Coordinates of all heavy atoms in Angstrom, one line a residue:
L1 N 214.4 31.2 -18.2 CA 214.4 32.6 -17.8 C 214.3 33.5 -19.0 O 213.5 34.5 -19.0 CB 215.7 32.9 -17.1 CG 215.9 34.4 -16.7 CD1 215.0 34.7 -15.5 CD2 217.4 34.6 -16.2
I2 N 215.0 33.2 -20.1 CA 214.9 34.0 -21.3 C 213.5 34.0 -21.9 O 212.9 35.0 -22.3 CB 216.0 33.6 -22.3 CG1 217.4 34.0 -21.8 CG2 215.7 34.2 -23.7 CD1 218.5 33.3 -22.6
Y3 N 213.0 32.8 -22.0 CA 211.6 32.6 -22.5 C 210.6 33.3 -21.7 O 209.7 34.0 -22.2 CB 211.3 31.1 -22.6 CG 210.0 30.9 -23.3 CD1 209.8 31.0 -24.7 CD2 208.8 30.5 -22.6 CE1 208.6 30.8 -25.3 CE2 207.6 30.3 -23.2 CZ 207.5 30.4 -24.6 OH 206.3 30.2 -25.2
G4 N 210.7 33.2 -20.3 CA 209.8 33.9 -19.4 C 209.9 35.4 -19.5 O 208.8 36.1 -19.5
V5 N 211.1 35.9 -19.6 CA 211.2 37.4 -19.8 C 210.6 37.9 -21.1 O 210.0 38.9 -21.1 CB 212.7 37.8 -19.7 CG1 212.9 39.2 -20.1 CG2 213.2 37.6 -18.2
A6 N 210.8 37.1 -22.1 CA 210.2 37.5 -23.4 C 208.7 37.5 -23.3 O 208.1 38.4 -23.9 CB 210.7 36.5 -24.5
R7 N 208.1 36.5 -22.7 CA 206.7 36.5 -22.5 C 206.2 37.6 -21.6 O 205.1 38.2 -21.9 CB 206.2 35.1 -21.9 CG 206.6 33.9 -22.7 CD 205.7 33.8 -23.9 NE 204.3 33.5 -23.5 CZ 203.4 33.2 -24.2 NH1 203.6 33.1 -25.5 NH2 202.1 33.0 -23.8
L8 N 206.9 38.0 -20.6 CA 206.6 39.1 -19.8 C 206.6 40.4 -20.5 O 205.9 41.3 -20.2 CB 207.5 39.2 -18.5 CG 207.2 38.1 -17.4 CD1 208.2 38.2 -16.3 CD2 205.8 38.3 -16.9
L9 N 207.6 40.5 -21.5 CA 207.7 41.7 -22.2 C 206.7 41.8 -23.4 O 206.6 42.8 -24.1 CB 209.1 41.8 -22.8 CG 210.2 42.1 -21.8 CD1 211.6 42.0 -22.5 CD2 210.0 43.4 -21.1
G10 N 205.8 40.8 -23.5 CA 204.8 40.8 -24.4 C 205.1 40.2 -25.8 O 204.3 40.3 -26.7
V11 N 206.2 39.5 -25.9 CA 206.5 38.8 -27.1 C 205.8 37.4 -27.1 O 206.3 36.5 -26.4 CB 208.0 38.7 -27.3 CG1 208.4 38.0 -28.6 CG2 208.7 40.0 -27.2
D12 N 204.7 37.3 -27.7 CA 203.9 36.1 -27.6 C 204.4 35.0 -28.5 O 204.2 33.8 -28.2 CB 202.4 36.3 -27.9 CG 201.8 37.2 -26.9 OD1 202.2 37.1 -25.7 OD2 200.8 38.0 -27.2
D13 N 205.0 35.3 -29.6 CA 205.5 34.3 -30.5 C 207.0 34.1 -30.5 O 207.6 33.8 -31.5 CB 205.0 34.6 -31.9 CG 205.5 36.0 -32.4 OD1 206.0 36.8 -31.5 OD2 205.5 36.3 -33.6
F14 N 207.6 34.2 -29.3 CA 209.0 34.0 -29.1 C 209.3 32.5 -29.2 O 208.8 31.7 -28.3 CB 209.5 34.6 -27.8 CG 211.0 34.7 -27.6 CD1 211.7 35.6 -28.3 CD2 211.6 33.8 -26.8 CE1 213.0 35.7 -28.2 CE2 213.0 33.9 -26.7 CZ 213.7 34.8 -27.4
P15 N 210.1 32.0 -30.1 CA 210.3 30.5 -30.2 C 211.2 30.0 -29.1 O 212.2 30.7 -28.6 CB 211.1 30.4 -31.5 CG 210.9 31.7 -32.2 CD 210.7 32.7 -31.2
V16 N 210.9 28.8 -28.6 CA 211.6 28.2 -27.5 C 213.0 27.9 -27.9 O 214.0 28.0 -27.2 CB 210.9 26.9 -27.0 CG1 211.7 26.2 -26.0 CG2 209.5 27.3 -26.4
Y17 N 213.2 27.5 -29.2 CA 214.6 27.1 -29.7 C 215.5 28.4 -29.7 O 216.7 28.2 -29.5 CB 214.5 26.4 -31.0 CG 214.0 27.2 -32.2 CD1 214.9 28.0 -32.9 CD2 212.7 27.2 -32.5 CE1 214.4 28.8 -34.0 CE2 212.2 27.9 -33.6 CZ 213.1 28.7 -34.3 OH 212.6 29.5 -35.4
V18 N 214.9 29.5 -29.9 CA 215.8 30.8 -29.9 C 216.2 31.0 -28.4 O 217.4 31.3 -28.2 CB 215.0 32.0 -30.4 CG1 215.8 33.3 -30.2 CG2 214.7 31.8 -31.9
A19 N 215.3 30.8 -27.5 CA 215.7 31.0 -26.1 C 216.7 29.9 -25.7 O 217.7 30.3 -25.0 CB 214.4 30.8 -25.2
A20 N 216.6 28.7 -26.2 CA 217.6 27.7 -25.9 C 218.9 28.0 -26.5 O 220.0 27.8 -25.9 CB 217.1 26.3 -26.4
A21 N 218.9 28.5 -27.7 CA 220.2 28.9 -28.4 C 220.9 30.0 -27.6 O 222.1 29.9 -27.4 CB 219.9 29.3 -29.8
F22 N 220.2 31.0 -27.2 CA 220.8 32.1 -26.4 C 221.3 31.6 -25.1 O 222.3 32.0 -24.6 CB 219.8 33.2 -26.2 CG 219.7 34.2 -27.4 CD1 218.4 34.4 -28.0 CD2 220.8 34.8 -27.9 CE1 218.3 35.3 -29.0 CE2 220.7 35.7 -29.0 CZ 219.4 35.9 -29.5
A23 N 220.5 30.7 -24.5 CA 220.9 30.1 -23.2 C 222.2 29.3 -23.3 O 223.0 29.4 -22.4 CB 219.8 29.2 -22.6
I24 N 222.3 28.6 -24.4 CA 223.6 27.8 -24.5 C 224.7 28.7 -24.7 O 225.8 28.5 -24.1 CB 223.4 26.8 -25.7 CG1 222.4 25.7 -25.4 CG2 224.8 26.2 -26.1 CD1 222.0 24.8 -26.5
V25 N 224.6 29.7 -25.5 CA 225.7 30.7 -25.7 C 226.1 31.4 -24.4 O 227.3 31.6 -24.1 CB 225.3 31.7 -26.8 CG1 226.3 32.9 -26.8 CG2 225.2 31.0 -28.1
I26 N 225.1 31.7 -23.6 CA 225.4 32.4 -22.3 C 225.9 31.4 -21.3 O 226.8 31.7 -20.5 CB 224.1 33.1 -21.8 CG1 223.7 34.2 -22.7 CG2 224.3 33.6 -20.3 CD1 222.3 34.8 -22.4
A27 N 225.4 30.1 -21.3 CA 225.7 29.1 -20.3 C 227.2 28.6 -20.5 O 227.8 28.2 -19.5 CB 224.7 28.0 -20.3
L28 N 227.7 28.6 -21.7 CA 229.0 28.1 -21.9 C 230.1 28.8 -21.0 O 230.7 28.1 -20.2 CB 229.4 28.1 -23.4 CG 228.7 27.1 -24.2 CD1 229.0 27.3 -25.7 CD2 229.1 25.7 -23.8
P29 N 230.3 30.1 -21.2 CA 231.3 30.7 -20.3 C 230.8 30.8 -18.8 O 231.6 30.8 -17.9 CB 231.5 32.1 -20.9 CG 230.2 32.4 -21.7 CD 229.7 31.0 -22.1
L30 N 229.5 31.0 -18.6 CA 229.0 31.2 -17.3 C 229.2 29.9 -16.4 O 229.6 30.0 -15.3 CB 227.5 31.6 -17.3 CG 226.9 32.0 -16.0 CD1 227.6 33.2 -15.3 CD2 225.4 32.3 -16.2
G31 N 229.0 28.8 -17.1 CA 229.1 27.5 -16.4 C 230.6 27.2 -16.0 O 230.8 26.6 -14.9
I32 N 231.5 27.6 -16.8 CA 232.9 27.4 -16.5 C 233.3 28.2 -15.2 O 234.0 27.8 -14.4 CB 233.8 27.8 -17.7 CG1 233.6 26.8 -18.8 CG2 235.3 27.9 -17.3 CD1 234.3 27.3 -20.1
W33 N 232.7 29.4 -15.1 CA 233.0 30.3 -14.0 C 232.3 29.9 -12.8 O 232.8 29.8 -11.7 CB 232.7 31.7 -14.4 CG 232.9 32.7 -13.3 CD1 234.1 33.1 -12.8 CD2 231.9 33.5 -12.6 NE1 233.9 34.0 -11.8 CE2 232.6 34.3 -11.7 CE3 230.6 33.6 -12.7 CZ2 231.9 35.2 -10.9 CZ3 229.9 34.4 -11.9 CH2 230.6 35.2 -11.0
V34 N 231.0 29.6 -12.9 CA 230.1 29.3 -11.7 C 230.5 27.9 -11.2 O 230.5 27.8 -9.9 CB 228.6 29.3 -12.2 CG1 227.8 28.8 -11.1 CG2 228.2 30.8 -12.5

């Protein structure tokens, strides 16, 4: 989702590992709750 949104916003050189890092940081507390 993060990578897709970045591509939609026109960021063509958005690294996948940055999207993965943000996703892990967001998924940690969200997964506990969900």
